[in-house]
Amino acid sequence: MFYLTGEYNHQMDTKNRIRIPNKLKGNETGLYFSKGTNNCLFVYYEAGFKELIQNLEEKVKMSDEKKQMALRVFAKSFTYVEGDAQGRMILPPKLKEYAKIDKDLVICGAGSRIEIWAKEVHDKYFEHEDENFDDLFKSLDI
């Protein structure tokens, strides 16, 4: 199980390459990228990816058409991205477009996954996080 945390500001280079911050890096040379919620990207290490897919397949009944559609759309958005010798990864064009990433981005640890956000989208989404922190924390039921 992974416990990824923290927030890091980065930039994508002119060849659409990014680096995963050292504090979020595992030993793997490649990662699984997919569409995420709220126009961010979800990024999984292989073990987390396999666990996620297994969990989804156990929960989604073949007869539930709506959930099957959701699973198909989510699963087909995954792309395995191999890092180069310097640890850079090319962001897939479809995912770059989905996440509205131009140059500046924020990479966050989000428990079992990494999230990649366009800086503008991230800042807008989290603009009231401090004033809503107590209510948001209570909703976690911990």
Side-chain angles (χ1 to χ4, degrees), residues 7 17 20 41 45 54 62 72-73 85 139:
E7 179 179 287
R17 295 178 301 195
I20 300 299
L41 301 178
Y45 287 96
Q54 180 180 354
M62 298 272 296
R72 288 177 180 126
V73 169
S139 74

Side-chain angles (χ1 to χ4, degrees), residues 16-33:
N16 295 337
R17 295 178 301 195
I18 64 168
R19 288 183 193 270
I20 300 299
N22 287 337
K23 292 188 179 186
L24 297 176
K25 268 192 182 171
N27 296 328
E28 299 174 45
T29 58
L31 300 172
Y32 292 87
F33 287 65

Side-chain angles (χ1 to χ4, degrees), residues 18-82:
I18 64 168
R19 288 183 193 270
I20 300 299
N22 287 337
K23 292 188 179 186
L24 297 176
K25 268 192 182 171
N27 296 328
E28 299 174 45
T29 58
L31 300 172
Y32 292 87
F33 287 65
S34 75
K35 290 180 179 177
T37 54
N38 306 104
N39 288 98
C40 78
L41 301 178
F42 291 165
V43 181
Y44 291 89
Y45 287 96
E46 186 170 354
F49 171 73
K50 287 180 177 179
E51 184 178 314
L52 170 71
I53 296 301
Q54 180 180 354
N55 188 14
L56 287 171
E57 287 184 340
E58 289 172 1
K59 289 184 176 183
V60 177
K61 294 180 182 177
M62 298 272 296
S63 60
D64 189 328
E65 290 183 33
K66 185 175 181 181
K67 287 183 181 178
Q68 279 293 322
M69 179 65 168
L71 176 58
R72 288 177 180 126
V73 169
F74 182 49
K76 77 178 194 140
S77 78
F78 274 94
T79 302
Y80 180 76
V81 179
E82 188 80 31

